[in-house]
Amino acid sequence: MNQGRTSIEVKFPVPWGHIAGKIYGSLKEERVLMVHGILDNAGTFDRLIEHLPQKYQYVNIDLPGHGLSSPMPSGMPLHYFDYVHSILFVLDALKWQTCIYIGHSFGAHIATYFSILYPGRLEKIVALDGFLPFLVKDIVPYIRDVYNLNAYTKDSNILYTKDEIMYALQFKRFETLRMEAAEALFKRAVTKVGDLYKFNRDTRLRHVVRPFFTLEQHKEIFKKYTTKTLIIIADSSVRVNILSQIVKTLPLITNKTDLFTVIQVRGNHDVHNNYPEWVAPHICKFLDDNLQSKL
């Protein structure tokens, strides 16, 4: 483990503002982009990165509308492929032709589509308790809800104490975070207003952003998937059964048996932040190409 690794703050210009992030390490040929899940921020990887090899340069971003990054343009709902495209803005700003990608949940979802739309840009993907986005079961009411913009703003200006923020970061989410893991998110999660805080969250994220595709359309698109991928599944995650079913079908969809390595670890959906030492060894082996597929 590497104690006390330091980072520098960066802002990458985009047409609607900036994408914020932090860079660990000097410029190297071996580079890793790290992307968090919905309603989290770059702090989700602070604890994990202490366990990862120093030979890489790591860039850890806040997705648009998260942390210290500008939200997408106002007045319209959020669209899945705008988030996919935001990764291209970051890579181009960094002048990275290729990199390794580590993503958690939604961050892993958008990596899969990015690698199909921009083949060759991602050398490998580490997908932490996420891969394909979940399907929209009933498309018409889903679209209607997404376009109900008035519903997004009802508590956007509420201020909270730090204790209330910490409680929300730990417990008002799909699965519980340890105190240390919540602290890692806190700095980028809020803006201080007097003695209180407001969340740095785009309120449109109340609706999890998904592509409007049927199962058959997903399958057709993923026939073009060619990126070597490590999928880490948390055994206590609420998504464990769905994710396990998805990964079993991947060789059939892609007609490739050597792309996917699947590892199951103890922990919940946020195990990479709660117990980074449980997932780091698998990531380190995968980065060094020493991990054999267990599909």
Side-chain angles (χ1 to χ4, degrees), residues 73-141:
S74 63
M76 295 294 290
L78 301 175
H79 291 288
Y80 184 84
F81 285 100
D82 291 338
Y83 282 92
V84 176
H85 191 243
S86 70
I87 303 304
L88 185 64
F89 280 119
V90 172
L91 294 188
D92 288 352
L94 287 164
K95 296 182 170 59
W96 286 5
Q97 184 57 38
T98 66
C99 71
I100 295 168
Y101 185 110
I102 298 176
H104 172 237
S105 194
F106 183 72
H109 297 166
I110 62 177
T112 60
Y113 275 99
F114 182 90
S115 70
I116 293 169
L117 292 174
Y118 305 100
R121 297 298 297 268
L122 302 185
E123 301 162 24
K124 304 176 187 176
I125 294 173
V126 176
L128 297 167
D129 215 52
F131 191 67
L132 279 168
F134 299 130
L135 295 173
V136 177
K137 292 183 179 179
D138 196 338
I139 190 69
V140 172

Side-chain angles (χ1 to χ4, degrees), residues 35-256:
V35 183
H36 62 83
I38 285 286
L39 297 180
D40 282 346
N41 58 59
T44 194
F45 294 115
D46 283 359
R47 287 157 50 76
L48 174 62
I49 209 163
E50 296 293 333
H51 299 264
L52 299 182
Q54 290 197 17
K55 68 179 183 178
Y56 297 91
Q57 182 182 53
Y58 301 89
V59 174
N60 188 351
I61 65 167
D62 296 326
L63 284 169
H66 297 75
L68 306 181
S69 288
S70 304
M72 295 287 190
S74 63
M76 295 294 290
L78 301 175
H79 291 288
Y80 184 84
F81 285 100
D82 291 338
Y83 282 92
V84 176
H85 191 243
S86 70
I87 303 304
L88 185 64
F89 280 119
V90 172
L91 294 188
D92 288 352
L94 287 164
K95 296 182 170 59
W96 286 5
Q97 184 57 38
T98 66
C99 71
I100 295 168
Y101 185 110
I102 298 176
H104 172 237
S105 194
F106 183 72
H109 297 166
I110 62 177
T112 60
Y113 275 99
F114 182 90
S115 70
I116 293 169
L117 292 174
Y118 305 100
R121 297 298 297 268
L122 302 185
E123 301 162 24
K124 304 176 187 176
I125 294 173
V126 176
L128 297 167
D129 215 52
F131 191 67
L132 279 168
F134 299 130
L135 295 173
V136 177
K137 292 183 179 179
D138 196 338
I139 190 69
V140 172
Y142 178 80
I143 294 175
R144 187 184 300 124
D145 287 343
V146 165
Y147 276 83
N148 182 15
L149 300 179
N150 291 332
Y152 300 143
T153 59
K154 62 181 181 180
D155 62 358
S156 58
N157 295 315
I158 294 179
L159 300 179
Y160 303 89
T161 66
K162 182 174 181 179
D163 286 345
E164 288 171 329
I165 294 286
M166 290 302 298
Y167 181 85
L169 290 175
Q170 284 189 267
F171 303 112
K172 290 188 175 182
R173 51 191 297 126
F174 286 120
E175 300 185 37
T176 302
L177 283 184
R178 299 174 68 196
M179 175 63 77
E180 309 96 291
E183 287 281 4
L185 294 174
F186 176 79
K187 179 180 177 181
R188 307 179 82 85
V190 295
T191 295
K192 193 168 186 180
V193 181
D195 294 328
L196 299 174
Y197 299 86
K198 70 173 184 176
F199 278 108
N200 297 334
R201 292 175 175 174
D202 189 328
T203 55
R204 289 171 289 182
L205 291 163
R206 291 181 184 283
H207 292 281
V208 177
V209 186
R210 299 183 176 101
F212 301 160
F213 291 156
T214 66
L215 177 59
E216 292 308 312
Q217 288 171 320
H218 278 298
K219 288 180 177 179
E220 191 63 29
I221 292 169
F222 265 79
K223 289 178 182 178
K224 300 182 183 299
Y225 193 82
T226 59
T227 307
K228 186 175 181 183
T229 304
L230 169 64
I231 302 173
I232 296 180
I233 302 175
D235 66 2
S236 297
S237 170
V238 295
R239 298 165 172 82
V240 61
N241 292 331
I242 295 174
L243 191 53
S244 297
Q245 291 169 9
I246 288 172
V247 299
K248 287 178 181 177
T249 67
L250 291 176
L252 300 176
I253 295 172
T254 62
N255 199 29
K256 299 178 181 71

